[in-house]
Amino acid sequence: MAIVAVVFHSASGTTEKLADSVMSGAASLKGVDVLKVEIFGSDIVEGRYQNQDVLDSLDSVDAIIFGSPTYMGSVSAQFKAFADATGDKWSEKAWSDKIAGGFTIGSNLSGDQLMTTQYFQIFANQHGMIWASLDIPGGCDPEGRNRLGAQSGLIAHSKDNILNKIDLVTAKYLGLRIAKLAIRYSINEI
Ligand SMILES: Cc1cc2nc3c(=O)[nH]c(=O)nc-3n(C[C@H](O)[C@H](O)[C@H](O)COP(=O)(O)O)c2cc1C
């Protein structure tokens, strides 16, 4: 059994809808369990993320897919507070060799969402994780998936909080892809 965790922050719900699609893609693969981990602002006290149980729950998973809205050209403050709380995990190499991927959404078509996926990638690499890109060639997919053409992860766009169906389909594919990789590199017994 491989375990895929989706760790995300969402204030108005669009990132959560993407997270649910990512999870459904991962869960569609036999032998995969999914773990939904929402980052709540109430777990942040004086700027510090303090939910140690959540952090510890990620030690035993095979893959972590990160999600955040793009805020001011990067991850949200809530996501960054979570990331900053992983320093002990970093020093222990607790998440080393796990598969990682990421997704984001913004209200502008070119609202610097790429910075968010690049942040996820650097964050994963800080932990020694193995970054999984989005392997749907933008503009070349018969189903039109990856419509915004980012290859580092899923970039989505909505100007009215209504999700584009293609973005949801792409999110599902990203979950499936990372689940397949998690099975291939699983550290748990299958
Ligand atoms: C403080 C703030 C900063 C934002 N910055 C950006 C941005 O840099 N680029 C962009 O495209 N959208 C930006 N947005 C729009 C959000 O990314 C967008 O509404 C997203 O769907 C919110 O995700 P959520 O529904 O999961 O909270 C920003 C929104 C807020 C509230």
Side-chain angles (χ1 to χ4, degrees):
M1 180 66 70
I3 305 171
V4 175
V6 179
V7 178
F8 69 97
H9 168 247
S10 183
S12 52
T14 57
T15 311
E16 182 168 19
K17 288 197 179 90
L18 290 174
D20 288 341
S21 284
V22 169
M23 285 178 58
S24 76
S28 69
L29 200 62
K30 200 171 163 224
V32 172
D33 267 352
V34 291
L35 179 66
K36 183 174 181 176
V37 178
E38 182 165 358
I39 297 166
F40 293 111
S42 53
D43 282 334
I44 299 166
V45 180
E46 295 190 351
R48 296 282 176 199
Y49 183 81
Q50 303 208 331
N51 193 329
Q52 192 61 40
D53 289 344
V54 162
L55 296 169
D56 291 343
S57 73
L58 296 170
D59 290 355
S60 55
V61 307
D62 301 279
I64 308 177
I65 309 174
F66 301 111
S68 169
T70 293
Y71 274 8
M72 304 311 293
S74 188
V75 294
S76 65
Q78 289 87 339
F79 187 93
K80 188 61 165 64
F82 164 85
D84 290 355
T86 65
D88 286 346
K89 301 299 181 191
W90 167 79
S91 61
E92 296 157 8
K93 292 180 65 173
W95 298 353
S96 185
D97 290 347
K98 297 182 193 300
I99 306 293
F103 58 95
T104 187
I105 186 165
S107 57
N108 289 297
L109 262 176
S110 185
D112 296 320
Q113 292 96 319
L114 187 63
M115 294 299 292
T116 304
T117 57
Q118 288 178 339
Y119 174 76
F120 289 145
Q121 187 171 5
I122 294 290
F123 175 52
N125 290 162
Q126 290 243 338
H127 279 282
M129 301 172 79
I130 301 162
W131 184 256
S133 61
L134 178 61
D135 66 337
I136 302 171
C140 295
D141 183 61
E143 296 168 54
R145 298 170 304 172
N146 190 14
R147 68 187 176 102
L148 298 182
Q151 306 294 162
S152 54
L154 166 61
I155 284 177
H157 162 252
S158 167
K159 60 179 186 322
D160 54 10
N161 278 7
I162 296 168
L163 272 286
N164 181 293
K165 281 190 186 137
I166 293 288
D167 289 343
L168 293 172
V169 170
T170 309
K172 191 170 178 181
Y173 174 83
L174 181 68
L176 175 64
R177 166 169 164 75
I178 290 179
K180 282 183 185 169
L181 292 169
I183 291 221
R184 191 186 295 177
Y185 295 103
S186 177
I187 54 175
N188 294 311
E189 280 182 38
I190 295 177

